[in-house]
Amino acid sequence: MTDALELDALWEDFHRVVNMTSQELAAWLRVSEADEQTEPLPEHAGSPTGQHVLAILQKRRTDLTEDDLEVMYEVVDTVTEQADVENEPEAEETRRRHMLMTIGHDPLKP
């Protein structure tokens, strides 16, 4: 398991980059998966990573598993890498925003 200092840093980094609340993320996952005819059950909406991020947001730090830590590192790395992208065409920017929102980061949110 990760040592206490590293866990504290990861917890802070994760909650810094995941700027959507669990309610916002759950709603986005449902909306992003819905089409004109159907909407998935809330527990099945979104990607496995998005669902895992949602589960992590609902946990206490002491309840984290090794799988949670892996997802947290992955999300921090993904958001950090994507933050460096600038001057995209609007369609690409929208696509990138929606991809980031599926893991709990809305680039347009202050």
Side-chain angles (χ1 to χ4, degrees):
M1 186 104 188
T2 308
D3 70 25
L5 287 176
E6 189 175 347
L7 180 59
D8 288 345
L10 177 59
W11 181 263
E12 293 299 320
D13 287 345
F14 178 80
H15 283 88
R16 176 181 47 79
V17 301
V18 176
N19 63 358
M20 296 171 71
T21 65
S22 59
Q23 294 86 3
E24 290 170 331
L25 178 56
W28 171 252
L29 293 175
R30 284 191 308 274
V31 167
S32 68
E33 290 286 311
D35 61 27
E36 291 180 13
Q37 304 297 321
T38 62
E39 182 177 322
L41 295 172
E43 63 272 9
H44 297 293
S47 69
T49 302
Q51 284 293 320
H52 204 143
V53 169
L54 184 58
I56 292 168
L57 288 174
Q58 298 168 343
K59 289 185 176 188
R60 295 176 304 173
R61 188 182 329 206
T62 56
D63 296 332
L64 296 173
T65 66
E66 286 294 325
D67 287 342
D68 295 338
L69 299 179
E70 286 180 33
V71 169
M72 290 170 75
Y73 279 117
E74 179 184 320
V75 168
V76 169
D77 289 346
T78 300
V79 172
T80 303
E81 288 171 7
Q82 290 295 318
D84 294 335
V85 177
E86 293 181 21
N87 300 325
E88 293 179 312
E90 190 172 326
E92 282 301 310
E93 189 173 308
T94 299
R95 190 177 357 261
R96 182 176 66 86
R97 176 180 182 231
H98 290 175
M99 182 274 299
L100 288 170
M101 288 174 69
T102 64
I103 58 173
H105 178 78
D106 185 349
L108 299 182
K109 192 173 181 181

